[in-house]
mmCIF file of all heavy atoms in Angstrom:
data_model
loop_
_atom_site.group_PDB
_atom_site.id
_atom_site.type_symbol
_atom_site.label_atom_id
_atom_site.label_comp_id
_atom_site.label_asym_id
_atom_site.label_seq_id
_atom_site.Cartn_x
_atom_site.Cartn_y
_atom_site.Cartn_z
ATOM 1 N N ALA Q 33 7.701 0.505 6.165
ATOM 2 C CA ALA Q 33 7.812 1.977 5.803
ATOM 3 C C ALA Q 33 8.486 2.162 4.427
ATOM 4 O O ALA Q 33 9.380 1.560 4.102
ATOM 5 C CB ALA Q 33 8.610 2.556 7.001
ATOM 6 N N HIS Q 34 8.168 3.213 3.777
ATOM 7 C CA HIS Q 34 8.885 3.577 2.550
ATOM 8 C C HIS Q 34 9.454 4.967 2.819
ATOM 9 O O HIS Q 34 9.142 5.627 3.766
ATOM 10 C CB HIS Q 34 7.885 3.640 1.376
ATOM 11 C CG HIS Q 34 6.743 4.712 1.477
ATOM 12 N ND1 HIS Q 34 5.565 4.446 2.274
ATOM 13 C CD2 HIS Q 34 6.733 5.890 0.995
ATOM 14 C CE1 HIS Q 34 4.960 5.552 2.093
ATOM 15 N NE2 HIS Q 34 5.503 6.454 1.467
ATOM 16 N N LEU Q 35 10.296 5.318 1.887
ATOM 17 C CA LEU Q 35 11.061 6.520 1.942
ATOM 18 C C LEU Q 35 10.130 7.776 1.573
ATOM 19 O O LEU Q 35 9.494 7.725 0.610
ATOM 20 C CB LEU Q 35 12.323 6.560 1.044
ATOM 21 C CG LEU Q 35 13.585 5.753 1.602
ATOM 22 C CD1 LEU Q 35 14.572 5.955 0.505
ATOM 23 C CD2 LEU Q 35 13.854 6.047 3.018
ATOM 24 N N GLY Q 36 10.348 8.769 2.422
ATOM 25 C CA GLY Q 36 9.632 9.952 2.136
ATOM 26 C C GLY Q 36 10.151 10.681 0.844
ATOM 27 O O GLY Q 36 11.321 10.446 0.394
ATOM 28 N N GLY Q 37 9.470 11.679 0.354
ATOM 29 C CA GLY Q 37 9.875 12.389 -0.859
ATOM 30 C C GLY Q 37 11.230 13.077 -0.783
ATOM 31 O O GLY Q 37 12.144 12.933 -1.667
ATOM 32 N N LYS Q 38 11.644 13.821 0.287
ATOM 33 C CA LYS Q 38 12.946 14.426 0.429
ATOM 34 C C LYS Q 38 14.066 13.541 0.453
ATOM 35 O O LYS Q 38 15.184 13.747 -0.064
ATOM 36 C CB LYS Q 38 12.917 15.462 1.552
ATOM 37 C CG LYS Q 38 12.006 16.585 1.380
ATOM 38 C CD LYS Q 38 12.675 17.620 0.585
ATOM 39 C CE LYS Q 38 11.732 18.812 0.603
ATOM 40 N NZ LYS Q 38 12.316 19.956 -0.343
ATOM 41 N N MET Q 39 13.750 12.325 1.156
ATOM 42 C CA MET Q 39 14.789 11.381 1.309
ATOM 43 C C MET Q 39 15.178 10.819 -0.188
ATOM 44 O O MET Q 39 16.281 10.413 -0.364
ATOM 45 C CB MET Q 39 14.376 10.309 2.174
ATOM 46 C CG MET Q 39 13.990 10.653 3.641
ATOM 47 S SD MET Q 39 15.194 10.689 4.910
ATOM 48 C CE MET Q 39 15.718 9.018 4.916
ATOM 49 N N ARG Q 40 14.126 10.568 -0.985
ATOM 50 C CA ARG Q 40 14.445 10.073 -2.324
ATOM 51 C C ARG Q 40 15.129 11.061 -3.150
ATOM 52 O O ARG Q 40 16.106 10.782 -3.888
ATOM 53 C CB ARG Q 40 13.063 9.714 -3.004
ATOM 54 C CG ARG Q 40 12.471 8.495 -2.480
ATOM 55 C CD ARG Q 40 11.294 8.181 -3.186
ATOM 56 N NE ARG Q 40 10.346 7.250 -2.645
ATOM 57 C CZ ARG Q 40 10.062 6.168 -3.285
ATOM 58 N NH1 ARG Q 40 10.320 5.852 -4.500
ATOM 59 N NH2 ARG Q 40 9.278 5.207 -2.538
ATOM 60 N N VAL Q 41 14.622 12.322 -3.056
ATOM 61 C CA VAL Q 41 15.264 13.332 -3.942
ATOM 62 C C VAL Q 41 16.739 13.553 -3.698
ATOM 63 O O VAL Q 41 17.426 13.727 -4.599
ATOM 64 C CB VAL Q 41 14.454 14.668 -3.664
ATOM 65 C CG1 VAL Q 41 15.207 15.934 -4.322
ATOM 66 C CG2 VAL Q 41 13.068 14.532 -4.334
ATOM 67 N N HIS Q 42 17.159 13.577 -2.436
ATOM 68 C CA HIS Q 42 18.430 13.856 -1.976
ATOM 69 C C HIS Q 42 19.297 12.539 -1.960
ATOM 70 O O HIS Q 42 20.505 12.640 -1.360
ATOM 71 C CB HIS Q 42 18.488 14.667 -0.683
ATOM 72 C CG HIS Q 42 17.916 15.940 -0.807
ATOM 73 N ND1 HIS Q 42 18.448 16.989 -1.601
ATOM 74 C CD2 HIS Q 42 16.804 16.514 -0.442
ATOM 75 C CE1 HIS Q 42 17.714 18.053 -1.421
ATOM 76 N NE2 HIS Q 42 16.749 17.726 -0.821
ATOM 77 N N HIS Q 43 18.703 11.387 -2.322
ATOM 78 C CA HIS Q 43 19.426 10.185 -2.329
ATOM 79 C C HIS Q 43 20.071 9.755 -1.021
ATOM 80 O O HIS Q 43 21.256 9.314 -0.867
ATOM 81 C CB HIS Q 43 20.600 10.125 -3.349
ATOM 82 C CG HIS Q 43 20.040 10.451 -4.774
ATOM 83 N ND1 HIS Q 43 19.321 9.540 -5.493
ATOM 84 C CD2 HIS Q 43 20.236 11.415 -5.529
ATOM 85 C CE1 HIS Q 43 19.017 9.950 -6.577
ATOM 86 N NE2 HIS Q 43 19.444 11.258 -6.733
ATOM 87 N N ILE Q 44 19.393 9.953 0.139
ATOM 88 C CA ILE Q 44 19.805 9.617 1.506
ATOM 89 C C ILE Q 44 19.681 8.124 1.525
ATOM 90 O O ILE Q 44 18.474 7.531 1.392
ATOM 91 C CB ILE Q 44 19.025 10.350 2.527
ATOM 92 C CG1 ILE Q 44 19.342 11.840 2.439
ATOM 93 C CG2 ILE Q 44 19.328 9.934 3.912
ATOM 94 C CD1 ILE Q 44 18.489 12.781 3.161
ATOM 95 N N ARG Q 45 20.721 7.398 1.892
ATOM 96 C CA ARG Q 45 20.666 6.076 1.872
ATOM 97 C C ARG Q 45 20.400 5.505 3.396
ATOM 98 O O ARG Q 45 20.818 6.074 4.323
ATOM 99 C CB ARG Q 45 22.133 5.496 1.742
ATOM 100 C CG ARG Q 45 22.238 4.371 0.934
ATOM 101 C CD ARG Q 45 23.665 3.999 0.614
ATOM 102 N NE ARG Q 45 24.073 4.657 -0.674
ATOM 103 C CZ ARG Q 45 24.321 3.871 -1.767
ATOM 104 N NH1 ARG Q 45 24.514 2.548 -1.554
ATOM 105 N NH2 ARG Q 45 24.574 4.491 -2.917
ATOM 106 N N VAL Q 46 19.495 4.551 3.273
ATOM 107 C CA VAL Q 46 18.984 3.956 4.723
ATOM 108 C C VAL Q 46 19.410 2.501 4.583
ATOM 109 O O VAL Q 46 18.979 1.804 3.699
ATOM 110 C CB VAL Q 46 17.535 4.176 4.943
ATOM 111 C CG1 VAL Q 46 16.989 3.389 6.071
ATOM 112 C CG2 VAL Q 46 17.098 5.666 4.974
ATOM 113 N N LEU Q 47 20.110 2.096 5.662
ATOM 114 C CA LEU Q 47 20.463 0.671 5.669
ATOM 115 C C LEU Q 47 20.057 -0.004 7.002
ATOM 116 O O LEU Q 47 19.640 0.600 7.847
ATOM 117 C CB LEU Q 47 22.099 0.713 5.715
ATOM 118 C CG LEU Q 47 22.805 1.189 4.443
ATOM 119 C CD1 LEU Q 47 24.311 1.372 4.790
ATOM 120 C CD2 LEU Q 47 22.526 0.484 3.231
ATOM 121 N N PRO Q 48 19.928 -1.336 6.991
ATOM 122 C CA PRO Q 48 19.632 -2.026 8.205
ATOM 123 C C PRO Q 48 20.564 -1.661 9.378
ATOM 124 O O PRO Q 48 21.805 -1.605 9.098
ATOM 125 C CB PRO Q 48 19.740 -3.493 7.920
ATOM 126 C CG PRO Q 48 19.501 -3.606 6.317
ATOM 127 C CD PRO Q 48 20.196 -2.346 5.891
ATOM 128 N N GLY Q 49 19.869 -1.412 10.520
ATOM 129 C CA GLY Q 49 20.626 -1.031 11.656
ATOM 130 C C GLY Q 49 20.623 0.548 11.875
ATOM 131 O O GLY Q 49 20.839 0.953 13.065
ATOM 132 N N ASP Q 50 20.109 1.316 10.978
ATOM 133 C CA ASP Q 50 19.956 2.820 11.036
ATOM 134 C C ASP Q 50 18.706 3.077 11.957
ATOM 135 O O ASP Q 50 17.756 2.335 11.915
ATOM 136 C CB ASP Q 50 19.778 3.452 9.746
ATOM 137 C CG ASP Q 50 21.019 3.425 9.017
ATOM 138 O OD1 ASP Q 50 22.170 3.258 9.498
ATOM 139 O OD2 ASP Q 50 20.985 3.740 7.674
#
Side-chain angles (χ1 to χ4, degrees):
H34 64 273
L35 286 182
K38 294 282 185 179
M39 303 265 303
R40 283 183 197 234
V41 168
H42 296 292
H43 302 290
I44 296 175
R45 216 174 269 242
V46 177
L47 301 170
D50 288 345

